[in-house]
Amino acid sequence: MKSVVGVLVLLFCCLSGALAQQNRVDGAVKNTETTCHADVHAVLREMSAAMAEQRVELKHTQTQLQALQGQLKTTERQMEELRKQNKERPYVAFAASLGVSGNTGPFNTDITMIYKNIFTNTGSAYNPNTGIFTAPVRGVYYFSFSGCNDASKAMGLQLYKNGVKQVTVFNHDSGTRYETSTNGISLELEVGVQVYMRLLKNTWVADSDNNHNTFIGHLLFPLLSSGCQQ
């Protein structure tokens, strides 16, 4: 009988130990699972925060891209307008010299100077047969001229606009040397207005193949016609 009781006690002790060991294993597994779950949640939270930041950055980038696209379209429109204006803009420019060696003048009356040696005549607004420039479009033009003379006699040159004197150069007689003078002016001209040079009576100019006497003009920019102004 005692032997049976001893065996039962021993068996109970073994079972109790096994159950305790199993409980410890289950607890460790549970703790491990809890720790793993906590780590996964932390990683997910970090990923969620990172994705939120990326969405904000993406939205900001999209906004910048839209702004750049708008600027690009504006620039393209401006370039197209400039190309259109450049295509439609008239080109007017001339430069000429007397093309005569020796003295011109003096005369007993004022005369219109004719500059026959053409350097350029873009737009053909200057007439080398008459010495007269005729404005082909309404706009602001710049003109300049130069004169040279044997100072034993005076030199007087004047630029005219439709019969009205605008600017002058004048060298008094002062000996046997040669003297030069220049002048220039910007003028607003209507279509058909004429600009030309006059040599004053009793004065002269001297020239050679060095082209000391010149008449130059070009369109600075066109203006809207009078009827189109607002």
Side-chain angles (χ1 to χ4, degrees):
M1 184 66 178
K2 291 182 179 179
S3 298
V4 173
V5 172
V7 171
L8 291 173
V9 170
L10 180 61
L11 180 60
F12 177 77
C13 290
C14 290
L15 290 173
S16 297
L19 289 173
Q21 181 66 27
Q22 182 63 41
N23 289 335
R24 286 194 295 273
V25 171
D26 291 343
V29 170
K30 186 175 182 180
N31 290 336
T32 300
E33 290 178 349
T34 301
T35 302
C36 290
H37 289 162
D39 291 342
V40 169
H41 287 309
V43 170
L44 289 175
R45 284 194 298 271
E46 291 177 359
M47 292 178 63
S48 178
M51 290 177 65
E53 291 179 0
Q54 290 178 352
R55 283 194 293 269
V56 172
E57 292 178 357
L58 178 60
K59 185 175 181 180
H60 180 64
T61 301
Q62 289 174 337
T63 301
Q64 289 181 322
L65 180 59
Q66 290 174 351
L68 289 174
Q69 289 175 337
Q71 292 175 0
L72 178 60
K73 290 181 179 179
T74 299
T75 301
E76 289 175 345
R77 286 195 299 269
Q78 291 174 341
M79 290 181 64
E80 182 62 29
E81 182 64 23
L82 287 174
R83 281 193 292 267
K84 182 179 178 181
Q85 291 177 1
N86 190 55
K87 184 178 180 180
E88 296 177 351
R89 177 180 178 177
Y91 291 90
V92 183
F94 76 94
S97 67
L98 281 180
V100 176
S101 293
N103 296 320
T104 299
F107 302 100
N108 58 8
T109 185
D110 295 355
I111 67 163
T112 298
M113 298 288 284
I114 300 176
Y115 299 84
K116 295 183 177 181
N117 183 34
I118 303 298
F119 298 110
T120 185
N121 193 14
T122 303
S124 301
Y126 173 73
N127 188 336
N129 296 315
T130 63
I132 297 174
F133 171 86
T134 304
V137 296
R138 183 172 186 264
V140 175
Y141 296 78
Y142 178 76
F143 298 92
S144 66
F145 60 93
S146 63
C148 175
N149 69 303
D150 176 347
S152 61
K153 289 185 176 64
M155 176 190 72
L157 291 169
Q158 294 179 328
L159 184 143
Y160 275 75
K161 168 189 168 184
N162 270 9
V164 180
K165 178 180 63 180
Q166 304 296 309
V167 289
T168 302
V169 296
F170 194 92
N171 291 341
H172 293 277
D173 53 333
S174 57
T176 57
R177 65 179 182 227
Y178 285 89
E179 294 183 344
T180 60
S181 295
T182 63
N183 208 340
I185 189 173
S186 294
L187 295 172
E188 181 177 325
L189 304 180
E190 299 291 339
V191 176
V193 171
Q194 295 183 332
V195 177
Y196 48 91
M197 297 297 306
R198 300 277 284 175
L199 178 67
L200 300 182
K201 66 179 181 179
N202 299 323
T203 68
W204 67 355
V205 293
D207 212 340
S208 67
D209 56 5
N210 290 321
N211 299 310
H212 297 287
N213 295 269
T214 59
F215 183 30
I216 296 169
H218 58 268
L219 174 66
L220 293 176
F221 51 87
L223 297 173
L224 293 175
S225 61
S226 300
C228 295
Q229 287 186 315
Q230 296 181 351

